[in-house]
Amino acid sequence: MADPSNRSSSWKGQNCCSWHGIDCSDSFHVTAIDLRNPKPDNLILDTNSQLVSTSDVPSTALTGPIHPSLFYPLLISDTLTSVSTTSVSQSIDDHSSIYTTLSSTRTIHEGSLYTYMNRGNLYAPNLSWLQRLNNLRKLKLNGVDLSKASRSNLWAKSVSTLSKLRFLELSNCRISGEVPVEQLLNLTKLSELYMDYNFLASKIPSKLANLTSLSVLDLTRSNLQGHIPYLPQVKTLHVGNNSDVMVDLHSMFAVPWPRLESIDISSTHVIGSIPPSIANITSLVDFIAYNSLIQGRIPASMMNLTRLEMLSLDMNNISGEISPSISNLKSLQLLSLLQNSFHGLIPDTICSISSLRYLLLAGNSFTGNIPNCIGQLNDLSYFEVSSNKMNGSIPSLSSFFRNSTP
């Protein structure tokens, strides 16, 4: 493994607690191994995941294969009878944890033109080195290149031996092929699964419903297709930026999703409109569905989702007016309706949503005046109403500017 920043240069002698990246407890037990890239390379990818430009700063990333011997001290030590987190993660007898970070720090910012991602240069030709980490509870390999490993139909078999695993992050790993659900069914305690930014080219497996502990599923921008299966156990379901995924919200919300709090179906293909039955998802906090070909109007029943904090419906074909009953959404922090076909007045009742921080209404056909009360929204930090058919004078927004920051 190449180490251009010499992070492992201190790994000499018997006292591993003095090595760079190694943390120990007061009793000199290893509690963390952190090999993250201190200055991750910056890549800029366009919306087609093509490289636009890179940083000219010399790379400090570790490169080369992950050697199994890295974990042997953890496996043979008398004081580390079990390990609980490895980014590689496991718990020891005193219930503390080992956290080995092999992945680079990853930051993603999605905009209309670019997606910004930081990634390292580690790769693993297979995952056989995981097999003896029997007590692993958290595995985080985001940014590690698994393209070669995933060419095998049984590439995730080693992961399936980690029966205590609760958190699995395989984001931006260049994984190809199907979601290896058959190999993951043994992970009965798995709560969070991240396989976003890969090349899966498959349907979302309905057998994921058999992972009854699964709470978070993120398959964003992974070249998926087909429909969303019924997954009543999930709280967070992010499948956005998969243009071949078909979403029939009428069929989807005809059955209960008793735990669903956050759903992202942006840049998918929504069939038809938002159904009135969405009001049955009373746990909903985030509904993110921009650029999804949504037709029709926002159903009046949606105003009963009192826990809703984020409603993002930009770049669709939604028409109608904003209902005065939007004031029922007392928890709303972001309302974004950019580039639709809304018309009519902006109701004064919107000013009673004191939690509102982002109000984005540009690119519609709203008429009339900006409500005078808008300036009373003390938490409002972003307000956009350009490209509408509004007229009249602009109300006093002195409080808005007073609360803004440069």
Side-chain angles (χ1 to χ4, degrees):
M1 183 183 296
D3 181 12
S5 64
N6 294 318
R7 300 202 293 284
S8 61
S9 60
S10 64
W11 286 34
K12 300 175 182 177
Q14 298 298 315
N15 182 15
C16 63
C17 292
S18 65
W19 297 352
H20 176 82
I22 303 296
D23 291 334
C24 293
S25 67
D26 293 339
S27 56
F28 301 102
H29 293 171
V30 176
T31 58
I33 303 176
D34 188 344
L35 298 178
R36 282 178 296 180
N37 188 351
K39 297 179 180 179
D41 298 334
N42 290 324
L43 302 182
I44 300 179
L45 307 180
D46 64 15
T47 53
N48 295 316
S49 297
Q50 298 298 313
L51 190 63
V52 175
S53 67
T54 60
S55 172
D56 57 1
V57 177
S59 175
T60 57
L62 296 174
T63 60
I66 302 167
H67 199 279
S69 63
L70 176 63
F71 305 104
Y72 291 166
L74 305 182
L75 300 170
I76 63 176
S77 171
D78 292 336
T79 59
L80 296 168
T81 56
S82 62
V83 187
S84 82
T85 304
T86 211
S87 229
V88 169
S89 175
Q90 300 186 54
S91 87
I92 29 188
D93 294 337
D94 63 357
H95 303 291
S96 60
S97 65
I98 291 177
Y99 196 110
T100 310
T101 303
L102 296 175
S103 56
S104 65
T105 301
R106 180 176 65 98
T107 302
I108 297 176
H109 172 74
E110 293 185 6
S112 58
L113 296 178
Y114 300 113
T115 296
Y116 301 88
M117 306 181 68
N118 293 327
R119 65 175 297 157
N121 298 298
L122 285 175
Y123 71 91
N126 60 67
L127 296 177
S128 60
W129 48 274
L130 288 171
Q131 291 181 359
R132 287 183 288 180
L133 299 175
N134 297 323
N135 293 298
L136 199 66
R137 298 183 184 172
K138 186 173 184 180
L139 176 59
K140 187 175 181 181
L141 296 176
N142 52 303
V144 176
D145 188 345
L146 299 179
S147 56
K148 183 176 180 180
S150 65
R151 292 172 193 163
S152 166
N153 291 332
L154 299 177
W155 69 271
K157 185 176 181 180
S158 296
V159 179
S160 71
T161 65
L162 310 176
S163 59
K164 296 182 180 180
L165 201 65
R166 298 180 180 180
F167 181 104
L168 178 57
E169 184 165 0
L170 300 172
S171 306
N172 191 29
C173 289
R174 301 187 179 183
I175 296 170
S176 59
E178 299 180 354
V179 178
V181 63
E182 295 289 350
Q183 298 162 60
L184 300 180
L185 291 179
N186 188 48
L187 306 180
T188 57
K189 296 183 179 180
L190 189 65
S191 175
E192 300 183 39
L193 175 60
Y194 300 87
M195 293 189 69
D196 48 315
Y197 288 83
N198 284 295
F199 309 98
L200 302 177
S202 66
K203 296 181 179 179
I204 304 171
S206 60
K207 285 189 177 181
L208 286 170
N210 295 335
L211 293 172
T212 55
S213 296
L214 191 64
S215 176
V216 177
L217 178 62
D218 191 342
L219 297 171
T220 301
R221 198 187 285 273
S222 289
N223 199 27
L224 293 166
Q225 55 196 241
H227 294 271
I228 298 175
Y230 182 42
L231 303 171
Q233 79 277 34
V234 299
K235 289 184 178 180
T236 299
L237 178 62
H238 288 181
V239 295
N241 289 277
N242 288 291
S243 58
D244 291 329
V245 167
M246 309 289 288
V247 183
D248 185 342
L249 292 174
H250 288 260
S251 175
M252 184 175 178
F253 293 145
V255 292
W257 290 71
R259 305 185 68 205
L260 189 63
E261 296 180 0
S262 177
I263 181 170
D264 183 350
I265 53 172
S266 55
S267 296
T268 61
H269 186 171
V270 172
I271 302 169
S273 60
I274 301 172
S277 57
I278 194 173
N280 296 331
I281 317 299
T282 56
S283 55
L284 200 61
V285 174
D286 300 330
F287 186 72
I288 307 168
Y290 59 82
N291 190 34
S292 297
L293 305 177
I294 298 175
Q295 308 284 331
R297 301 175 176 235
I298 295 178
S301 62
M302 198 169 190
M303 301 301 111
N304 295 324
L305 295 174
T306 56
R307 294 186 59 191
L308 200 64
E309 296 179 4
M310 180 182 293
L311 178 58
S312 176
L313 297 172
D314 306 336
M315 296 179 287
N316 284 294
N317 299 311
I318 305 173
S319 58
E321 301 183 10
I322 296 179
S323 170
S325 60
I326 196 170
S327 58
N328 294 341
L329 304 181
K330 298 295 186 183
S331 302
L332 199 64
Q333 297 180 26
L334 180 146
L335 176 62
S336 191
L337 306 176
L338 300 171
Q339 298 181 39
N340 279 281
S341 298
F342 288 97
H343 61 268
L345 303 177
I346 299 174
D348 289 348
T349 53
I350 205 168
C351 300
S352 65
I353 309 175
S354 59
S355 58
L356 202 59
R357 299 178 61 191
Y358 303 93
L359 180 56
L360 310 176
L361 306 175
N364 285 282
S365 296
F366 289 112
T367 56
N369 294 329
I370 298 174
N372 287 325
C373 57
I374 287 292
Q376 300 172 14
L377 292 171
N378 292 328
D379 289 338
L380 193 66
S381 60
Y382 201 102
F383 178 46
E384 186 173 351
V385 289
S386 61
S387 301
N388 277 290
K389 298 180 179 179
M390 306 181 74
N391 53 36
S393 60
I394 298 176
S396 174
L397 299 177
S398 57
S399 61
F400 177 66
F401 291 114
R402 186 167 55 249
N403 293 326
S404 66
T405 55

